[in-house]
């Protein structure tokens, strides 16, 4: 300032000021994220005492020391206290030249709090005051501080050119004063602005500088998080932001900017539950470029917004209109969204803005097509989204490019160009996998991978959206058929080649994508081929929904229910963890299994779906992939009057790999009917004995008694144990070898071994194990356990199954055997606690053809005697 004050060192005021400055220096050295409340109180109290000692007539000195008080508190990150002191001190200062230091401090406090519009208002007030009173000048340091505030405000409103000019002017002033610390702050401001603009170089520079820092203030930590986010290291950025929020000494004035950053990271990491819990704390005016980017990247509806008061800079208006466009699309007002978008097209001046605009425009065109069914709308969408991909080539626009590719795939799918759609969806999937790979922990990576929509997820979604027309609408009917065909396409692509590689191309004769009429004809053929008492239940899990299709004679339904695929994964993993010998022997373990089964049924909406199935239907053929394939459907609860019963009480349940495999497996079953059986005691038979006997005699039923193990993570640890010549390990058969066995004559393969129905994931979609290996080897059906099966229950249940198999279809035979165990009609050889509990019987599943094993309901005299065959194969002394 133009006035200076010299204090006598012996005066009480000088001594108090010296102590206050010493306390401020100590607090400044101790503060990292922000000063602890005790330090803030000490500094505030020390300067408060200084101001009390100033003579009432010395208004100029009082104003200078008041500004120093505010600056000292601001310097240690106590912005709320600094703002409070400004608001208290300013009304007491009447002379303009005395007000300027406090106004500059308030502008800096507001700027560092993120309230750049208010800081710009303070700067404008200062400029106006200087114009009206030329004598009230600013010294060079204050001029530099004011220019910094104006530069940061320009950056906040999207005026990068002005921001650069003002900040460079401020830097030059500080450099001429020899204030290297202030120069370093300006340099970081410039890097941060460039990082916000997407500069990889600026982000890398920020991270490199922070790597050398022992501690970071809250603003610096926020910049660090931004730099990490720009490199798509979302998990690391989230850790920084969460640590900031958890800090006891985070200033309240910085809490909103930190929460704002948290929103964008939660969207990027698909933390829907956390975001929903947080939303109650956020104001509706939380509108930022970061949130726009993250919103465009995902399909999550986080389209928060609100009007921005006052005069809107072009960049702010552009962001607001984009968010308004999303809300209008959600409300079905696509034409109005188009009008608003066209009004701000000229405001898209950077590649980032152009990419965002074209993505929004493409989404609007797709929405208009779905209402008007005009081909030109799709053509416009393809053009816009292609342009968005070209503008979003930079790495920092990766999320925008992913979103554009996914929408472009949808546009091609609607244009009935499935190959082009698959290509775009595959590209988007690859980019998202690259983004996931940049995260730190396996847990986060696996969660994000589960949330990435596959090509099949997208195809099912698009088809399902076409099935939402009113009841009886022709488009709705063909849409339902298209949705079920899309679900079948996903299943066949994942598994058909693993059970019938030679016949895959001939079996996969699905109607082309987007051809609703052909889909309906195909589905009618499937429905007509089902028995009157039979229905097919096909399921597909997308990241946030589960699609159900019910098909039977005179019966076609499609139900789309909300569900969290990641949560389903957690429930299934928890169920597998509980289903072991130790936990199932405990009442608490069995109770937990019951709760998990109940939660799984509720999570997929089993009861809602099965209410659509008429009472005449007694048999359910379940087709489910991915995590859904691991749910014990037979045990899921459904209502029966005022109580609940497991599904197996009403339906005989079987599992089919995919609809396309049904004719092949049925053909195998018809050709392999009969009672010639092979009972294999794997504890005494070697793998070579087993394989040799299958080649020598055509057995229609094969039952293996032994021990097995499954490891979902390590395929080498999945095996069936046979007798070994040298050691136990020598007798192990892995799925790869088992599928080479000659089971082409086998109608029913019974794997009476623990975990024989469990397997490893192929990629992220399907598990392959002994069930798939048995079907690949030629069997028409396989009965296997999903988890560890108790030996005595296994023996009793499979004995009953073979008994019923002589005159009942396979699925009904297994249903009767399970109900016998549940009702206590068959007693296991060993004592089993709660023998009716689903943990003992629900693990058994029939995979493949569900029809009859024998040709007639009476057991033929030619039926084999398993014990005799066993003696023939395995000679004993």
């Amino acid at each position: 300032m133009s006035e200076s004050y010299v204090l006598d060192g012996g005066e009480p005021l000088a001594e108090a000021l010296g102590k206050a400055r010493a306390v401020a220096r100590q607090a400044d050295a101790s503060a990292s994220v922000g000063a602890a409340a005790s330090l803030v109180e000490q500094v505030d109290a020390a300067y408060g005492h200084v101001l009390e000692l100033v003579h009432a007539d010395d208004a100029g000195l009082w104003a200078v020391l008041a500004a120093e008080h505010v600056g000292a508190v601001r310097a240690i990150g106590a912005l709320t206290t600094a703002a409070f002191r400004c608001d208290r001190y300013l009304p007491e200062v009447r002379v303009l030249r005395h007000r300027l230091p406090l106004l500059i401090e308030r502008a800096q406090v507001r700027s560092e709090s993120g309230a750049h519009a208010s800081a710009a208002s303070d700067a404008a007030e200062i400029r106006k005051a200087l114009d009206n009173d030329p004598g009230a000048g600013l010294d060079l340091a204050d001029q530099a501080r004011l220019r910094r505030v104006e530069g940061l405000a320009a950056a906040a409103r999207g005026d990068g050119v002005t921001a650069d000019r003002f900040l460079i002017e401020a830097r030059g002033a500080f450099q001429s004063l020899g204030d290297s610390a202030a120069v370093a702050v300006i340099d970081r401001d410039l890097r941060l602005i460039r990082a916000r603009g997407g500069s990889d170089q600026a982000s890398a520079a920020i991270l490199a500088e922070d790597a050398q820092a022992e501690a970071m203030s809250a603003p610096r930590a926020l910049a660090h998080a931004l730099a990490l986010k720009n490199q798509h290291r979302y998990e690391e950025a989230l850790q920084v932001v969460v640590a900031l929020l958890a800090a006891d000494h985070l200033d309240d004035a910085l809490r909103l900017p930190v929460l704002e950053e948290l929103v964008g990271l939660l969207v990027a990491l698909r933390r829907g539950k956390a975001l929903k819990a947080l939303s109650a704390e956020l104001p509706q005016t939380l509108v930022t470029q970061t949130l726009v980017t993250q919103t465009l990247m995902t399909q999550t509806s986080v389209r928060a917004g609100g009007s921005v008061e006052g005069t809107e800079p072009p960049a702010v208006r552009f962001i607001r209109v984009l968010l308004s466009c999303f809300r209008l699309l959600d409300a079905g007002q696509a034409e109005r969204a188009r009008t608003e978008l066209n009004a701000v097209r000229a405001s898209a001046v950077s590649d980032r803005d152009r990419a965002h605009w074209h993505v929004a425009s493409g989404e609007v065109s797709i929405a208009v097509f779905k209402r008007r069914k005009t081909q030109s709308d799709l053509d416009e969408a393809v053009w816009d989204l292609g342009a968005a991909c070209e503008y979003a080539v930079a790495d920092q626009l990766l999320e925008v490019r992913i979103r554009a590719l996914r929408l472009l795939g949808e546009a091609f799918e609607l244009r009935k160009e499935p190959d082009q759609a698959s290509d775009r969806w595959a590209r988007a999937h690859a980019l998202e996998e690259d983004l996931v790979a940049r995260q730190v922990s396996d847990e986060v990576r696996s969660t994000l991978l589960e949330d990435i929509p596959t090509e099949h997820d997208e195809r099912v979604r698009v088809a399902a959206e076409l099935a939402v027309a009113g009841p009886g609408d022709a488009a709705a009917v063909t849409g339902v058929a298209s949705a079920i065909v899309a679900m079948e396409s996903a299943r066949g692509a994942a598994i058909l080649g693993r059970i019938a590689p030679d016949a895959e191309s001939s079996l996969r004769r699905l109607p082309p994508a987007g051809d609703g009429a052909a889909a309906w004809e195909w589905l009618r053929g499937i429905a007509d081929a089902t028995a009157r008492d039979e229905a097919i239940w096909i399921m597909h899990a997308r990241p946030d929904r589960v699609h159900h299709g019910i098909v039977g004679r005179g019966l076609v339904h499609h139900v789309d229910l909300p569900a969290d695929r990641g949560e389903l994964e957690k429930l299934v993993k928890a169920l597998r963890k509980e289903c072991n010998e130790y936990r199932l022997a405990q009442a608490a373990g069995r109770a937990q299994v019951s709760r998990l089964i109940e939660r799984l049924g509720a999570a997929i909406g089993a009861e809602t779906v099965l209410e659509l199935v008429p009472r005449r239907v007694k048999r359910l053929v379940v087709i489910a992939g991915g995590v859904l394939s691991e749910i014990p459907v037979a045990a899921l609860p459904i209502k029966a009057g005022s109580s609940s019963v497991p599904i197996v009480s009403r339906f005989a349940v079987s599992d089919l790999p995919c609809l396309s495999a049904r004719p092949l497996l049925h053909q195998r079953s018809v050709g392999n009917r009969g009672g010639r059986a092979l009972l294999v005691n794997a504890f005494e038979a070697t793998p070579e004995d087993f394989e040799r006997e299958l080649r020598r005699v055509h057995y229609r039923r094969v039952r293996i008694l032994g021990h097995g193990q499954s490891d979902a993570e390590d395929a080498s640890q999945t095996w069936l144990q046979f007798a070994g010549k040298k050691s136990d390990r020598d007798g192990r058969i892995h799925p790869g070898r088992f599928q080479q066995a000659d089971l082409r004559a086998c109608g029913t393969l019974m794997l009476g071994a623990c975990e024989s129905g469990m397997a490893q994931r192929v990629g992220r979609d399907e598990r392959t194990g002994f069930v798939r290996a048995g079907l690949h080897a030629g069997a028409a059906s396989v009965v296997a356990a999903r988890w560890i099966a108790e030996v005595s229950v296994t023996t009793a249940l499979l004995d009953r199954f073979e008994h019923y198999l002589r005159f009942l279809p396979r699925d009904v035979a297994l249903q009767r055997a399970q109900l016998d165990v549940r009702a206590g009609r068959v007693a296991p050889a060993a004592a089993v606690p709660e023998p009716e509990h689903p943990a003992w019987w629900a693990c058994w599943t029939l995979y493949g053809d569900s029809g009859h094993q024998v040709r007639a309901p009476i057991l033929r005299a030619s039926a084999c005697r398993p014990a005799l065959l066993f003696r023939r194969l395995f000679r004993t002394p």
Side-chain angles (χ1 to χ4, degrees):
M1 296 299 299
S2 58
E3 296 185 54
S4 61
Y5 298 86
V6 179
L7 300 178
D8 187 344
E11 294 180 359
L13 176 59
E15 291 180 3
L17 182 59
K19 290 179 180 179
R21 288 172 175 170
V23 172
R25 284 194 297 270
Q26 182 183 1
D28 189 43
S30 302
S32 54
V33 172
S38 59
L39 291 176
V40 175
E41 289 174 0
Q42 291 175 31
V43 174
D44 192 42
Y47 272 99
H49 180 59
V50 169
L51 290 172
E52 289 174 357
L53 296 176
V54 178
H55 194 277
D57 294 336
D58 205 345
L61 176 60
W62 189 92
V64 169
L65 292 177
E68 182 177 333
H69 180 184
V70 173
V73 177
R74 176 180 57 80
I76 59 175
L79 300 177
T80 301
T81 301
F84 171 76
R85 289 300 176 193
C86 279
D87 291 342
R88 182 173 178 179
Y89 292 158
L90 275 168
E92 298 184 25
V93 182
R94 305 296 182 185
V95 180
L96 174 62
R97 65 177 181 275
H98 295 162
R99 288 175 58 84
L100 291 179
L102 279 169
L103 284 173
I104 291 176
E105 282 298 337
R106 189 173 71 176
Q108 291 182 97
V109 168
R110 288 175 167 179
S111 180
E112 291 174 17
S113 301
H116 294 289
S118 297
S121 297
D122 281 338
E125 182 181 346
I126 294 169
R127 295 292 182 194
K128 182 178 180 181
L130 292 173
D131 290 340
N132 293 336
D133 185 358
L138 298 178
D139 61 24
L140 188 58
D142 280 338
Q143 290 176 28
R145 294 186 188 100
L146 186 60
R147 263 297 184 240
R148 177 175 181 253
V149 168
E150 292 171 324
L152 294 176
R157 65 175 180 265
D159 188 352
V161 175
T162 301
D164 278 359
R165 179 164 60 85
F166 285 177
L167 287 172
I168 290 171
E169 287 179 12
R171 186 185 189 281
F174 284 128
Q175 194 167 27
S176 68
L177 291 170
D179 191 343
S180 58
V183 170
V185 170
I186 298 292
D187 287 340
R188 189 170 180 86
D189 289 338
L190 290 166
R191 283 195 293 272
L192 182 58
I193 290 171
R194 285 161 177 70
R196 285 197 176 114
S199 168
D200 288 336
Q201 186 177 3
S203 297
I206 290 173
L207 296 177
E209 181 185 13
D210 290 344
Q212 308 300 320
E214 295 182 3
M216 290 187 284
S217 65
R220 185 167 183 171
L222 269 176
H224 186 81
L226 173 68
L228 289 170
K229 188 174 68 175
N230 279 359
Q231 295 187 351
H232 310 295
R233 295 158 62 182
Y234 299 132
E235 186 182 2
E236 294 172 81
L238 182 64
Q239 291 170 356
V240 173
V241 171
V242 169
L244 269 176
L245 285 172
D248 293 334
H249 44 283
L250 175 65
D251 192 86
D252 288 342
L254 291 175
R255 194 164 296 275
L256 183 60
V258 175
L259 285 171
E260 179 182 359
E261 196 66 31
L262 181 62
V263 168
L265 291 169
L266 290 176
V267 174
L269 289 168
R270 275 75 163 181
R271 301 287 181 86
K273 290 184 178 179
L275 189 62
K276 185 176 180 181
L278 181 66
S279 62
E281 301 180 29
L282 299 178
Q284 288 300 306
T285 54
L286 190 61
V287 182
T288 65
Q289 181 72 32
T290 298
L291 188 54
V292 173
T293 302
Q294 302 296 348
T295 302
L296 287 173
M297 181 190 70
T298 69
Q299 297 178 28
T300 309
S301 183
V302 192
R303 292 166 177 178
S307 62
V308 179
E309 297 180 1
T311 304
E312 289 183 319
V316 174
R317 180 167 179 259
F318 180 74
I319 295 169
R320 181 181 61 77
V321 170
L322 283 183
L323 293 175
S324 173
C325 169
F326 295 148
R327 292 195 299 273
L328 290 171
L329 283 178
D330 289 341
Q333 301 180 46
E335 284 83 356
R336 185 178 167 190
R338 166 64 65 201
T339 300
E340 290 200 6
L341 269 180
N342 288 338
V344 296
R345 183 170 187 175
S347 301
V349 294
S350 66
D351 283 353
R352 175 188 293 273
D353 289 347
R354 292 189 185 102
H356 282 313
W357 189 90
H358 283 290
V359 167
S361 181
E363 188 171 359
V364 168
S365 294
I366 290 173
V368 172
F369 167 79
K370 289 177 180 178
R371 190 181 64 80
R372 298 193 311 197
K373 299 296 187 294
T374 305
Q375 186 69 20
S376 61
D377 292 319
L378 279 183
D379 296 338
E380 187 173 350
V382 168
W383 187 90
D384 269 324
L385 295 167
C389 291
E390 293 178 4
Y391 284 122
V393 292
D395 188 61
Q396 63 268 21
L397 296 177
L398 177 63
E399 302 97 332
V400 185
R401 188 157 78 253
I402 290 169
R403 179 68 175 149
L405 284 169
R406 289 207 173 276
L407 288 168
L408 190 55
E410 180 174 355
F412 277 122
E413 181 79 0
L414 293 171
R415 274 208 323 193
K416 300 182 181 179
E417 299 180 48
D419 292 340
Q420 294 283 358
S422 297
D423 174 72
R424 300 317 188 276
W425 285 330
R427 287 193 212 172
H429 194 279
L431 289 174
E432 286 192 279
E433 287 186 320
D434 176 64
L435 188 150
V436 169
R438 304 186 193 193
Q439 310 316 310
V440 177
S441 67
D442 290 338
E443 180 183 1
V444 169
R445 285 197 293 265
S446 62
T447 300
L448 287 176
L449 282 173
E450 284 300 328
D451 284 340
I452 297 175
T454 65
E455 165 196 341
H456 304 298
D457 292 335
E458 296 284 26
R459 182 153 283 137
V460 170
R461 175 185 64 82
V462 173
E465 288 176 356
L466 297 177
V468 297
D473 190 295
V477 172
T478 57
V480 167
S482 296
I484 295 176
V485 168
M487 295 159 70
E488 164 60 17
S489 176
R491 295 298 306 122
I495 199 63
L496 195 55
R498 300 184 182 278
I499 61 175
D502 297 335
E504 180 181 11
S505 59
S506 61
L507 291 173
R508 290 200 71 195
R509 295 176 178 174
L510 295 177
D515 191 337
W520 176 242
E521 287 299 317
W522 177 86
L523 195 61
R524 281 205 309 180
I526 296 292
D528 291 344
T530 61
R532 178 174 172 76
D533 66 344
E534 181 183 53
I536 297 168
W537 181 10
I538 184 169
M539 291 183 274
H540 180 89
R542 285 170 45 211
D544 58 348
R545 305 193 75 78
V546 173
H547 294 265
H548 304 263
I550 298 292
V551 181
R553 189 167 295 183
L555 181 66
V556 175
H557 291 289
H558 170 260
V559 182
D560 175 10
L561 299 174
D564 185 332
R565 190 163 68 188
E567 186 63 25
L568 287 175
E569 287 280 357
K570 292 178 182 177
L571 290 174
V572 166
K573 288 179 181 178
L575 180 62
R576 292 181 61 182
K577 186 177 180 180
E578 292 292 328
C579 292
N580 60 74
E581 294 175 351
Y582 175 74
R583 287 292 289 166
L584 294 182
Q586 300 176 342
R590 296 190 298 276
Q592 178 66 358
V593 169
S594 296
R595 284 192 291 269
L596 289 169
I597 289 174
E598 185 176 352
R599 288 178 63 187
L600 281 167
I604 67 172
E607 193 166 62
T608 300
V609 175
L610 294 182
E611 286 177 352
L612 301 173
V613 179
R615 300 302 301 181
R616 63 175 169 82
V617 173
K618 306 296 182 183
R619 302 165 67 194
L620 272 182
V621 179
V622 178
I623 302 172
V627 62
L628 299 176
S629 67
E630 301 181 67
I631 296 175
V633 172
L636 300 183
I638 55 175
K639 286 185 179 178
S642 59
S643 61
S644 293
V645 297
I647 285 177
V648 73
S649 296
R650 179 181 168 189
F651 299 102
V653 180
S654 61
D655 185 290
L656 193 64
C658 60
L659 275 171
S660 298
R662 198 178 194 208
L664 170 68
L665 296 177
H666 180 67
Q667 184 180 6
R668 288 183 187 176
S669 177
V670 171
N672 295 333
R673 284 177 178 165
R676 180 182 290 274
L678 174 65
L679 179 64
V680 180
N681 185 341
F683 297 106
E684 299 183 18
T686 66
E688 292 76 17
D689 291 333
F690 170 64
E691 292 164 346
R692 188 183 309 111
E693 185 65 16
L694 288 179
R695 289 193 299 268
R696 194 181 68 81
V697 179
H698 288 171
Y699 293 101
R700 305 307 185 188
R701 295 186 352 244
V702 176
R703 178 174 170 181
I704 300 175
L705 301 179
H707 174 64
Q709 176 177 299
S710 174
D711 189 315
E713 306 299 330
D714 185 357
S716 67
Q717 297 304 308
T718 297
W719 38 263
L720 290 177
Q721 182 67 61
F722 282 73
K725 295 180 180 179
K726 297 180 181 178
S727 68
D728 288 343
R729 188 176 295 274
D730 290 337
R732 291 177 182 176
I733 291 184
H734 297 278
R737 178 176 179 179
F738 192 83
Q739 73 179 24
Q740 303 303 318
D742 188 356
L743 292 171
R744 290 173 295 175
C746 179
T748 305
L749 171 66
M750 288 161 277
L751 298 175
C754 297
E755 304 181 285
S756 52
M758 295 168 63
Q760 288 71 43
R761 283 286 177 90
V762 177
R764 293 171 41 246
D765 183 69
E766 190 53 58
R767 291 190 181 272
T768 182
F770 288 103
V771 171
R772 302 297 184 246
L775 295 175
H776 184 282
S781 66
V782 180
V783 175
R786 294 177 181 273
W787 56 74
I788 292 177
E790 205 281 332
V791 175
S792 60
V793 177
T794 294
T795 301
L797 188 144
L798 291 183
D799 284 347
R800 297 297 287 174
F801 171 68
E802 288 202 87
H803 166 74
Y804 288 125
L805 200 60
R806 294 178 299 170
F807 53 89
L808 291 174
R810 296 183 184 91
D811 56 350
V812 180
L814 181 59
Q815 178 195 30
R816 294 282 185 88
Q818 290 175 317
L819 291 177
D820 284 352
V821 172
R822 181 173 182 267
R825 289 189 289 267
V826 55
V832 175
E834 291 186 86
E836 74 282 358
H837 194 278
W840 306 120
W841 54 263
C843 60
W844 292 98
T845 303
L846 170 70
Y847 301 87
D849 186 76
S850 59
H852 285 86
Q853 174 61 46
V854 297
R855 298 178 186 275
I858 300 176
L859 184 63
R860 294 177 178 273
S862 60
C864 71
R865 289 167 292 176
L868 177 61
L869 291 174
F870 175 77
R871 287 196 296 271
R872 181 191 307 166
L873 178 54
F874 309 118
R875 298 175 182 173
T876 57

